[in-house]
Amino acid sequence: MPDNEWDPLKELVGVHQQMNRLFERALQRRNFDAQEGVGSWSPEADVYEQDGSLVFELELAGLRQDAIDLRVDGDELVVEGERTLDRGEPDEHFHRVERTYGTFARRFHLPSTVDRQRIAATYRNGVLRVELPTKRGEGPRAMKVPIG
């Protein structure tokens, strides 16, 4: 087959690859709630236990500390903010923009054992670290649930 002929299979493979990239980008976002929309993104987070504390680490590279809103709202830890693209000079022409910009919001359910009075947060090298100590002597308890 000459190179200049239309190949429907090759066309289909190209469409398939584009769809895969589209779905991969969509699935990278974890918060699909109504507050998010076009221009929003979701920072990556690690959550683990260490030395009697629940630890959250969020990757927020490129944000100033004063652009991050961290709070406890009811039984949730809420991290919100916005990463803006500094356009620089008016005659600047981008060839590629791969980093994500815009607003973000992450909400994490907190267990009842978290001691809300001793929460501590630090922000270094683009990583927000939030330590939530658990109340002394209170761990997850097992209980029998009667079936009626």
Side-chain angles (χ1 to χ4, degrees), residues 140-146:
R141 290 177 273 173
M143 61 179 269
K144 181 138 178 84
V145 177

Side-chain angles (χ1 to χ4, degrees), residues 29-40 80 103-105 107:
R29 293 175 41 180
R30 289 186 178 78
N31 293 340
F32 294 101
D33 58 10
Q35 292 180 349
E36 291 195 8
V38 175
S40 63
E80 295 178 326
T103 59
F104 70 89
R107 294 177 167 272

Side-chain angles (χ1 to χ4, degrees), residues 14-121:
V15 170
H16 181 259
Q17 290 172 341
Q18 289 176 346
M19 290 298 292
N20 280 343
R21 284 192 295 273
L22 177 68
F23 281 118
E24 285 172 10
R25 276 189 248 128
L27 292 174
Q28 285 175 347
R29 293 175 41 180
R30 289 186 178 78
N31 293 340
F32 294 101
D33 58 10
Q35 292 180 349
E36 291 195 8
V38 175
S40 63
W41 60 285
S42 185
E44 302 293 324
D46 293 334
V47 181
Y48 56 93
E49 291 183 52
Q50 180 182 43
D51 299 328
S53 292
L54 189 58
V55 179
F56 292 80
E57 290 184 339
L58 284 89
E59 195 173 281
L60 299 173
L63 267 79
R64 293 182 330 275
Q65 184 172 327
D66 62 358
I68 303 168
D69 178 25
L70 174 65
R71 66 184 184 280
V72 174
D73 185 5
D75 63 347
E76 293 182 317
L77 176 68
V78 180
V79 184
E80 295 178 326
E82 181 175 6
R83 182 164 48 202
T84 57
L85 174 61
D86 183 13
R87 294 269 181 198
E89 300 299 318
D91 63 342
E92 203 169 51
H93 299 285
F94 286 90
H95 291 270
R96 180 173 286 188
V97 176
E98 292 185 353
R99 293 182 293 165
T100 308
Y101 298 92
T103 59
F104 70 89
R106 292 293 311 257
R107 294 177 167 272
F108 302 93
H109 180 76
L110 297 177
S112 61
T113 56
V114 167
D115 186 347
R116 296 164 190 256
Q117 305 305 313
R118 299 188 314 139
I119 297 173

